[in-house]
Amino acid sequence: MPDFELQRIALPTGVELDVAIAGDPANPPLIFLHGFPESHRTWRHQIAEFERDHYVVVPDQRGFSGSSKPEGVEAYAPDKTVGDLIALADHLGIGPFTLIGHDWGGAISWMAALQNPGRIARLIIVNAPHPLIFQRTLFDDPAQRAASQYITAFRNPGFDQFIAALTIPGFFGKTFSQHADPALLAPERDTYIAQWSQPGAMTAMLNWYRASTLIVPAPGETPERPAWLDGPFPPVTQPTLVIWGEGDTALLPSQLDGLEAYVPDLTVIRVDAGHFVPWENPQAVNAAMRGWLAPRGG
């Protein structure tokens, strides 16, 4: 697999990010955001594909790999990571851009698009739920609630000690590798272990879950329902492509139900993959992106 040269960029948000940058800045800009527990390498197949005719920017987000790992859960609140995204685009002189996000990167992308309609021209989401639909399904869909109990585990302060006792290689072999094709994971094993072994990395990555206000009820629990779940919610105004790996066992197909009500200009493409779609089925992801971007000038 190709390695990508990383630039270290200090942002006014107080963090330094390692960023893979490829392609000609004169070409249409694409900014990619990865999720847990990965890095810019989530997008290795997309960088190689799109650098020839796009300006491709792929940061290691705060808390991940070699990027800054500020202390405290509050440093990983979504508004902080949205701030990093906009500050990075400013630093690179990027105007309106297409934003692509997977997993946590997709969660940040939904929020960034809602908050910055004049800056984010197009949105591509890969297996990341819309914030309203996700929270609603955690109350109304028992299967999604059961599938999301890992979030509660990650929020437990003792989970860091669990990983320390397991060791980073043990976490890879006994936990993470159970969630994707071992043949696809094997070439990246040493990279994952090196990235997760950075001082403070595992706690910082878990702090993304701890800083979230998402409510994850326990199975069978009947907590008070937030009023906003059944009230009006602002639409995503950008043209939006959602690519969904249908074999995802953490984020179930219910995440697509009713999505068009909150994303008027929506295209959904379902692909044969699990949760880690960008590298589980890169050919389908790249084809979907190219087919959707071409007529939109992106």
Side-chain angles (χ1 to χ4, degrees), residues 3-295:
D3 290 323
F4 304 100
E5 183 177 349
L6 299 177
Q7 298 185 29
R8 187 77 169 182
I9 297 179
L11 299 178
T13 54
V15 297
E16 296 182 0
L17 303 184
D18 288 342
V19 186
I21 300 177
D24 187 339
N27 287 332
L30 306 176
I31 300 182
F32 292 80
L33 299 180
H34 67 84
F36 178 93
E38 299 200 280
S39 70
H40 69 280
R41 290 195 62 78
T42 297
W43 303 108
R44 54 193 178 273
H45 302 286
Q46 288 70 47
I47 298 171
E49 168 67 21
F50 288 94
E51 66 177 340
R52 54 192 170 92
D53 52 7
H54 287 78
Y55 184 45
V56 178
V57 177
V58 194
D60 289 339
Q61 299 204 75
R62 65 166 64 199
F64 290 85
S65 193
S67 291
S68 292
K69 300 167 185 64
E71 293 186 5
V73 169
E74 66 282 355
Y76 299 90
D79 65 296
K80 301 291 196 303
T81 47
V82 171
D84 292 342
L85 166 67
I86 300 303
L88 177 61
D90 288 344
H91 176 88
L92 295 172
I94 295 173
F97 60 91
T98 299
L99 178 60
I100 305 101
H102 171 253
D103 186 77
W104 259 115
I108 297 306
S109 296
W110 283 119
M111 178 180 287
L114 285 163
Q115 295 178 348
N116 300 274
R119 192 66 181 278
I120 297 166
R122 287 163 293 275
L123 183 65
I124 299 177
I125 298 292
V126 186
N127 281 62
H130 183 278
L132 175 64
I133 292 177
F134 192 33
Q135 185 63 90
R136 189 178 287 164
T137 58
L138 288 172
F139 276 79
D140 299 341
D141 180 354
Q144 183 59 70
R145 186 188 295 196
S148 298
Q149 292 306 305
Y150 70 92
I151 297 174
T152 301
F154 286 174
R155 287 172 167 173
N156 187 329
F159 199 80
D160 308 63
Q161 288 70 44
F162 167 76
I163 294 175
L166 194 60
T167 75
I168 296 298
F171 178 72
F172 178 93
K174 297 179 181 179
T175 303
F176 182 61
S177 64
Q178 309 305 309
H179 298 282
D181 184 344
L184 295 175
L185 277 173
E188 294 288 313
R189 176 184 182 277
D190 291 347
T191 298
Y192 280 114
I193 290 172
Q195 291 175 346
W196 299 345
S197 297
Q198 296 284 323
M202 194 57 73
T203 294
M205 291 191 294
L206 293 170
N207 278 345
W208 281 59
Y209 291 94
R210 295 161 180 162
S212 168
T213 59
L214 186 73
I215 301 169
V216 185
E221 184 183 1
T222 55
E224 182 178 355
R225 186 181 184 86
W228 65 270
L229 281 188
D230 302 304
F233 198 87
V236 172
T237 57
Q238 295 90 337
T240 300
L241 169 65
V242 172
I243 302 171
W244 203 267
E246 295 190 289
D248 194 336
T249 58
L251 297 169
L252 305 183
S254 59
Q255 298 311 315
L256 301 178
D257 294 345
L259 183 57
E260 65 279 357
Y262 305 102
V263 189
D265 189 348
L266 174 67
T267 301
V268 175
I269 297 179
R270 301 169 189 260
V271 302
D272 181 16
H275 179 68
F276 296 97
V277 194
W279 48 263
E280 287 187 304
N281 196 341
Q283 295 83 6
V285 171
N286 292 351
M289 287 180 59
R290 281 211 173 275
W292 184 81
L293 283 170

